[in-house]
Amino acid sequence: MPTAPDPSSYLDTRAWIRALPALSGVTPPLVEVLPDSPSELFLYWITEAGAAGVPEPQAAALSTVDADGCPDARFLLLKDVTERGFWFSGDAHSPKGRDLASNSSAALTFYWREQGRQVRVRGSVEEGGPAVSARDFRERSVTARAVAAASRQSEVLGDPAEYEHAVTAAVARIEAEPDFVSDSWRAWCLVPDSVEFWQADPGRRHRRRLYRRDTGTGGWTAAELWP
Ligand SMILES: Cc1cc2nc3c(=O)[nH]c(=O)nc-3n(C[C@H](O)[C@H](O)[C@H](O)COP(=O)(O)O)c2cc1C
């Protein structure tokens, strides 16, 4: 992989940013014979990403829209892919949780740089239910459970000692009550309406395949898009 050039050898920030390598991965071909469902192709691609050494291929940007129509996005970890959709988890009281409660429309975007691949999943988010959320919470490490239980995520933290104290208390609680589950923890499922697979090409003739859900049959139609 090429390394970033030295900023001091450029006239200004713009010149340096424009000189940064882009789309520099080793690009495999787009799959020519498309599976019937996008989740099948997604699982094929994420498996290939893992095998090619892409670090944390399960990391994705989750985009949401708040009650005033303002967008936001943040990275999180994909937890599962099922026929229903793409699963992720977090705190219901966080900004993302509040966004999803007021507007279920959302998107997950993956970028696997080493392979020049992007996947965009758009649809609406449903809660997984208490049993699914509890299982997701219990699968976290003790510290991750404690941080999740103690955190007032995304609120201003006035005193770092307060955070330490809250996490220490939560660790003690979880050690005493191993089945404890934070009641604001949620597993969410992004049920896709469309999934787009983008494959970079070294000659810039990139390829795009879009799966759209057929609202009549519930099945999928696939089309190639102009890059
Ligand atoms: C690689 C990576 C993985 C993350 N995984 C999660 C996750 O699975 N769930 C989560 O709630 N936040 C995760 N975060 C933190 C979020 O990006 C974000 O800071 C946090 O959820 C608060 O977002 P919000 O204020 O929009 O609700 C992750 C961050 C990174 C960089």
Side-chain angles (χ1 to χ4, degrees):
M1 289 290 168
T3 50
D6 179 358
S8 64
S9 23
Y10 288 84
L11 274 180
D12 55 22
T13 305
R14 179 176 181 277
W16 177 69
I17 287 179
R18 290 192 59 104
L20 290 171
L23 299 177
S24 52
V26 178
T27 53
L30 186 89
V31 179
E32 288 303 329
V33 181
L34 290 174
D36 290 339
S37 94
S39 54
E40 219 177 307
L41 183 52
F42 179 85
L43 288 172
Y44 182 69
W45 270 27
I46 196 171
T47 305
E48 283 203 330
V54 174
E56 301 182 17
Q58 77 280 35
L62 169 74
S63 303
T64 55
V65 180
D66 73 13
D68 298 323
C70 294
D72 202 351
R74 76 292 286 156
F75 281 90
L76 46 63
L77 298 179
L78 180 75
K79 294 294 180 61
D80 197 7
V81 181
T82 64
E83 273 311 307
R84 186 171 168 196
F86 295 73
W87 292 83
F88 57 93
S89 55
D91 196 288
H93 299 145
S94 66
K96 78 181 98 40
R98 292 198 299 270
D99 288 358
L100 292 171
S102 66
N103 184 343
S104 63
S105 294
L108 280 170
T109 309
F110 298 82
Y111 176 44
W112 299 320
R113 182 186 64 94
E114 288 78 356
Q115 301 177 300
R117 284 177 166 175
Q118 171 183 248
V119 181
R120 299 163 64 182
V121 185
R122 300 171 70 208
S124 71
V125 169
E126 297 174 356
E127 285 191 5
V132 186
S133 298
R135 186 183 69 177
D136 185 274
F137 187 82
R138 288 201 189 99
E139 283 172 354
R140 297 167 68 81
S141 69
V142 170
T143 312
R145 273 179 278 163
V147 170
S151 176
R152 307 201 301 263
Q153 194 172 52
S154 306
E155 288 181 20
V156 172
L157 173 64
D159 177 4
E162 195 187 340
Y163 174 53
E164 274 314 310
H165 180 73
V167 172
T168 305
V171 167
R173 176 168 189 185
I174 288 162
E175 281 171 352
E177 273 179 72
D179 283 339
F180 167 79
V181 173
S182 162
D183 55 16
S184 58
W185 193 253
R186 293 289 180 279
W188 287 287
C189 182
L190 176 59
V191 179
D193 299 325
S194 71
V195 186
E196 188 208 304
F197 295 84
W198 188 97
Q199 174 67 67
D201 171 71
R204 301 277 163 162
R205 290 168 187 263
H206 312 312
R207 303 278 307 274
R208 297 172 69 190
R209 289 290 178 127
L210 177 68
Y211 284 84
R212 255 192 239 274
R213 199 187 288 276
D214 183 320
T215 45
T217 65
W220 294 96
T221 54
E224 179 129 13
L225 304 182
W226 280 77

